[in-house]
Structure formats: C-alpha cells, structure tokens
C-alpha cells in the first residue's frame, strides 16, 4: 500500500520520485491481499498487479532512500548494512481518538480485517505526506 500511495502522491505533486516496496519477511512474487487491494481502491488506487518482493533479494545499491514502517523495520535496514543517513521511518499521526495510544509505528495489518487495512492505509497516507514535506 505504501508504494502505490507514495507514487500517487509524488505524481500528483509533479515530483520525479518513485517508490518500490519490499518486505523483510515477504515471499517474493505474491499478490497483494484482497483487503489491501480493496482499501487502496477506496481512495482510487490500484494494487491488482502488485507483486511482493523480498528485500534481501534486491540490489540495494539502486536506491537512494529506505523507509521503514516503524523503528523495528529501520533497525533491520541498518543491520543489513544500509547507512543510517539513508534510513527514515514512516510514522503515523497521533491517535486523537485515544490519548493513551502513543505508538508512533504503523501497525502491519497482515491477517486483519478490512478495517485494519483501512487504518493502516490512512496511517501510511498521513505518514507519507509528512515524510514528503521533509524531502
């Protein structure tokens, strides 16, 4: 979801930036989940042709920035040799509905229902907007 959302926002803003996603625990070549496809379709985006990629299987030298969906992801990126200055974390906006929910990381909705994917989509969307403002 992050890849298609980032690329849509970059295109909307006329930016020559491109995101590609890869998972640290993904099996390469799998389609996006039905809930992910539906969640992004609700905001006019298409994930039907998306296929997963396994991070260790790609050439990391082709990329100028790596963005993790949480501190744990960023730590893993740094642990596999990506320089710290090339690693960023995509944080979610504070939960104004629950002042006790202080988790800044975006929660992986894997295995969750459509509402979990919608929440993740919205967190990714707000996080990417904030990230783009810093690039």
């Amino acid at each position: 979801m992050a890849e298609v959302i980032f690329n849509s926002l970059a295109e909307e803003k006329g930016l020559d930036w491109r995101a590609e996603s890869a998972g640290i625990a993904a099996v390469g070549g799998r389609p996006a989940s039905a809930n992910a496809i539906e969640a992004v379709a609700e905001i006019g985006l298409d994930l039907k042709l998306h296929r997963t990629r396994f991070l260790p299987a790609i050439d990391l030298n082709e990329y100028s920035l790596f963005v993790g969906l949480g501190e744990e992801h960023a730590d893993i990126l740094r642990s596999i040799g990506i320089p710290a200055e090339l690693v960023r974390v995509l944080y979610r906006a504070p939960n104004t509905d629950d002042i006790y929910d202080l988790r800044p990381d975006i929660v992986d909705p894997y295995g969750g229902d459509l509402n979990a994917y919608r929440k993740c989509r919205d967190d990714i969307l707000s996080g990417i907007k904030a990230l783009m403002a810093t690039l």
Side-chain angles (χ1 to χ4, degrees), residues 22-28 30 52-56 73 76 108 110:
I24 53 178
V27 175
R30 306 276 320 252
T52 58
R53 295 175 353 136
F54 182 48
L55 183 69
H73 288 167
I76 292 169
D108 186 345
Y110 183 76

Side-chain angles (χ1 to χ4, degrees), residues 43-54:
I43 60 169
L45 303 176
D46 187 359
L47 261 180
K48 291 178 189 159
L49 298 178
H50 177 79
R51 293 294 176 263
T52 58
R53 295 175 353 136
F54 182 48

Side-chain angles (χ1 to χ4, degrees), residues 25-113:
V27 175
R30 306 276 320 252
S33 72
N35 285 337
I37 291 169
E38 187 170 344
V40 298
E42 292 175 353
I43 60 169
L45 303 176
D46 187 359
L47 261 180
K48 291 178 189 159
L49 298 178
H50 177 79
R51 293 294 176 263
T52 58
R53 295 175 353 136
F54 182 48
L55 183 69
I58 63 175
D59 182 2
L60 302 178
N61 294 314
E62 294 181 14
Y63 302 92
S64 57
L65 185 66
F66 297 83
V67 181
L69 297 185
E71 288 294 339
E72 183 179 4
H73 288 167
D75 289 343
I76 292 169
L77 292 170
R78 289 185 289 267
S79 77
I80 62 172
I82 297 171
E85 64 271 12
L86 299 182
V87 176
R88 297 275 185 89
V89 178
L90 196 67
Y91 294 109
R92 68 185 183 96
N95 184 352
T96 57
D97 294 329
D98 182 356
I99 61 169
Y100 300 104
D101 182 2
L102 303 176
R103 297 168 298 123
D105 292 352
I106 294 174
V107 177
D108 186 345
Y110 183 76
D113 63 12

